[in-house]
C-alpha cells in the first residue's frame, strides 16, 4: 500500500539530499531505534556521515548539538507520538537542519515544515505497530542513496566487505 501511494521521485529527492548533506542523522526511539540503527549501518557502508540517534543512553537532542544547515535529519514517530522526537525535530529546525519526516499521518506533529514527508502505514491487528512498510521504505531509500552516490559507492561497499573478509569476520 505504501509504494502504490508514494511517488518514487519523492524518495529519490530525499536520497539526493542525504547524499549531499554533511551528515545525516536517523532518529527513532523504541522499536524505531532499531530501524534507525539498521539504516545508519547500511547507508554508512555507502556514504560517510550517517549516524543513528539516540546513542548510548543519550537524549535525541544531544546528538544534534553540532548539527547545522549542512545536515539532514530523518525523524520517525508514530501514534502515540513521542515527545522527545517532536522536541528534537524542533531543535533541529531551529538550527537550520533539513528534516525528512516519517510518520503515520500528515497530521503528525513532525510533519509541518519538513522538507520531505513520508506517510507509512503501520496498522495491524496486533497491539504494536507494524514495521514492515517502514523497513521496506528504508531499504528503498538506501537503494536510491546508492544510486545517487555514483559509481564510487559500489567500490566502497565492496572494499568494506573485502576488508571484513580479510579480517576473518565472515565464516566461509
Amino acid at each position: 500500500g505504501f509504494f502504490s501511494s508514494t511517488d518514487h521521485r519523492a524518495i529519490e529527492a530525499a536520497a539526493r539530499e542525504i547524499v549531499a548533506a554533511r551528515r545525516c542523522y536517523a532518529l527513532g526511539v523504541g522499536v524505531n531505534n532499531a530501524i534507525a540503527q539498521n539504516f545508519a549501518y547500511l547507508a554508512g557502508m555507502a556514504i560517510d556521515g550517517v549516524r543513528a540517534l539516540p546513542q548510548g543512553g543519550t537524549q535525541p537532542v544531544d546528538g544534534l548539538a553540532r548539527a547545522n544547515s549542512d545536515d539532514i535529519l530523518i525523524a520517525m514517530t508514530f501514534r502515540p507520538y513521542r515527545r522527545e522526537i517532536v522536541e528534537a525535530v524542533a531543535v533541529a529546525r531551529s538550527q537550520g537542519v533539513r528534516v525528512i519526516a516519517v510518520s503515520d499521518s500528515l497530521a503528525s506533529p513532525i510533519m509541518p515544515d519538513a522538507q520531505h514527508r513520508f506517510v507509512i502505514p503501520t496498522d495491524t491487528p496486533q497491539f504494536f505497530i507494524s514495521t514492515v512498510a517502514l523497513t521496506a521504505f528504508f531499504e528503498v531509500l538506501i537503494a536510491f542513496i546508492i544510486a545517487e552516490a555514483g559509481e564510487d559507492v559500489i567500490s566502497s561497499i565492496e572494499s568494506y566487505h573485502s576488508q571484513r573478509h580479510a579480517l576473518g569476520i565472515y565464516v566461509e
Side-chain angles (χ1 to χ4, degrees):
F2 167 73
F3 290 113
S4 67
S5 65
T6 302
D7 183 354
H8 75 277
R9 290 174 296 209
I11 300 173
E12 182 178 30
R16 191 174 307 115
E17 287 201 42
I18 291 167
V19 170
R22 177 184 68 142
R23 284 194 196 102
C24 172
Y25 300 95
L27 172 59
V29 296
V31 69
N32 298 324
N33 184 255
I35 293 169
Q37 294 284 342
N38 187 60
F39 170 78
Y41 170 70
L42 294 174
M45 286 185 212
I47 60 173
D48 290 330
V50 181
R51 297 185 176 144
L53 298 177
Q55 294 179 349
T58 65
Q59 295 295 311
V61 295
D62 295 338
L64 297 170
R66 294 184 188 97
N68 61 42
S69 61
D70 295 328
D71 301 323
I72 195 159
L73 170 67
I74 305 170
M76 61 186 119
T77 188
F78 302 90
R79 218 169 300 136
Y81 306 113
R82 296 284 296 257
R83 178 175 306 283
E84 63 263 52
I85 301 297
V86 175
E87 291 171 353
V89 168
V91 167
R93 285 188 185 125
S94 74
Q95 295 173 197
V97 176
R98 290 163 288 142
V99 175
I100 298 172
V102 181
S103 195
D104 55 356
S105 169
L106 287 174
S108 168
I110 66 170
M111 290 294 195
D113 301 322
Q115 282 69 31
H116 301 276
R117 295 173 195 85
F118 296 98
V119 175
I120 309 289
T122 59
D123 293 335
T124 178
Q126 307 304 321
F127 183 75
F128 301 105
I129 67 167
S130 171
T131 58
V132 173
L134 181 62
T135 301
F137 164 73
F138 277 104
E139 288 180 7
V140 171
L141 181 60
I142 290 167
F144 275 108
I145 288 169
I146 291 169
E148 284 296 320
E151 298 289 325
D152 293 340
V153 76
I154 301 300
S155 60
S156 174
I157 293 170
E158 288 173 349
S159 173
Y160 181 89
H161 283 291
S162 292
Q163 181 179 18
R164 294 181 126 221
H165 280 286
L167 292 171
I169 292 172
Y170 299 125
V171 176
E172 297 295 326

